[in-house]
Amino acid sequence: MDRPAWAPPEVDLERPSTARIYDYMLGGLHNFAIDRQMAEQVLAVGPQIRLAAHANRGFLRRAVEYLAGAGIRQFLDLGSGIPTVGNVHEAAHRVAPDAKVVYVDVDPVAVAHSEAIVEGDERVTVVQADIRDPDTLLKDPRVTAALDFTQPVAVLIVAVLHFVADADDPARIVARLRDAIAPGSYIGISQVATIPHVTPEQQAVADRYTKANAVTLRDRDQIATFFDGLEMVEPGLVDPAKWRADGDVTEMVPSFAGVGRKP
């Protein structure tokens, strides 16, 4: 296939990317045929997953707006993906035009397109880094130049930790980030949960997707441990679609989301 102008030359067009699959699920335009193929295989047996992706993005938007309304002016979005639909800086700037946002992702396509989107906006910084190495990330000069960690920061880890294997100890990663931020800071997390009842066909697709994208599903209790040492913001740990949402919503793909404040 022809290489799009926005895709860096080192990117393999034949290997699916979680960031681009998510972009496709959200209705974005920055994905390849291999990403659409993988996404459609998943959607064939789980069409609600697309709605769940939008619900998760809705949680991110509402969390950012809530935090900006609470006085937060610094946002660190980890595993930010391709910020085309409902991105953090637009949500933050609707409430607080002076808010600073740092996008961090390990995917070079996500980083390249993020840089194109925010080019010329001095309030937004894009960094390529791996969440599994929080010490290096926190010391990155681009991060420290943009954010003052002596002041409250909102750390967003939305739809990311299920891509962090148990062997990489995601609880340790979150704890390190929690320890690095000032009192009055917040951490927002969402994670896909284990599915209690699946058909063999659904399990086959789930296995194929999790293998291709190194997904680790966790139950509610495991996800709750990521908020250790934090005070949960109401309504606590709930389905992303239900977090401070207006009206009745329907749970779709099992997942949990919440925001915690560092006392």
Side-chain angles (χ1 to χ4, degrees):
M1 64 175 290
D2 294 335
R3 181 176 295 275
W6 50 267
E10 68 271 18
V11 171
D12 184 354
L13 304 189
E14 301 302 322
R15 183 173 182 177
S17 156
T18 54
R20 298 192 306 263
I21 290 172
Y22 193 53
D23 175 72
Y24 176 73
M25 295 282 192
L26 291 171
L29 301 176
H30 298 90
N31 46 76
F32 302 151
I34 190 66
D35 308 306
R36 296 188 287 275
Q37 180 182 2
M38 175 63 74
E40 289 299 338
Q41 288 176 358
V42 175
L43 291 169
V45 294
Q48 72 275 27
I49 291 174
R50 174 172 276 133
L51 295 176
H54 283 276
N56 196 71
R57 202 65 165 180
F59 160 70
L60 175 64
R61 174 184 55 77
R62 293 191 301 276
V64 170
E65 291 174 349
Y66 166 81
L67 293 168
I72 296 296
R73 295 297 179 266
Q74 303 186 106
F75 294 84
L76 178 61
D77 185 5
L78 303 179
S80 53
I82 301 173
T84 55
V85 180
N87 62 62
V88 170
H89 69 274
E90 290 179 347
H93 291 157
R94 278 195 294 271
V95 179
D98 58 334
K100 295 182 178 180
V101 176
V102 175
Y103 287 120
V104 177
D105 205 286
V106 72
D107 187 331
V109 168
V111 170
H113 191 61
S114 297
E115 290 174 336
I117 289 176
V118 305
E119 185 177 8
D121 192 335
E122 296 182 353
R123 301 167 297 178
V124 187
T125 301
V126 180
V127 176
Q128 184 173 355
D130 194 332
I131 188 177
R132 293 171 296 180
D133 186 3
D135 289 314
T136 298
L137 187 158
L138 291 166
K139 294 175 183 176
D140 189 296
R142 295 164 295 179
V143 175
T144 57
L147 303 177
D148 178 2
F149 285 100
T150 68
Q151 299 299 315
V153 178
V155 180
L156 306 169
I157 318 173
V158 176
V160 176
L161 290 178
H162 42 257
F163 298 120
V164 178
D166 289 338
D168 292 314
D169 198 352
R172 173 193 61 83
I173 293 169
V174 177
R176 177 67 185 91
L177 294 165
R178 180 200 65 213
D179 292 345
I181 56 181
S185 295
Y186 294 82
I187 296 180
I189 295 172
S190 71
Q191 143 107 49
V192 175
T194 50
I195 305 172
H197 305 290
V198 294
T199 66
E201 293 80 9
Q202 290 171 325
Q203 188 62 56
V205 172
D207 291 344
R208 185 160 61 248
Y209 183 77
T210 55
K211 182 178 180 181
N213 297 285
V215 171
T216 301
L217 305 180
R218 299 183 175 94
D219 62 30
R220 189 184 190 281
D221 290 342
Q222 291 172 309
I223 296 169
T225 64
F226 298 146
F227 293 94
D228 286 352
L230 301 173
E231 299 172 344
M232 295 299 294
V233 171
E234 290 294 335
L237 189 60
V238 297
D239 185 279
K242 293 185 175 182
W243 197 89
R244 292 183 173 262
D246 295 329
D248 294 331
V249 294
T250 301
E251 294 183 10
M252 291 162 284
V253 175
S255 56
F256 292 97
V259 175
R261 180 182 183 274
K262 181 174 179 178

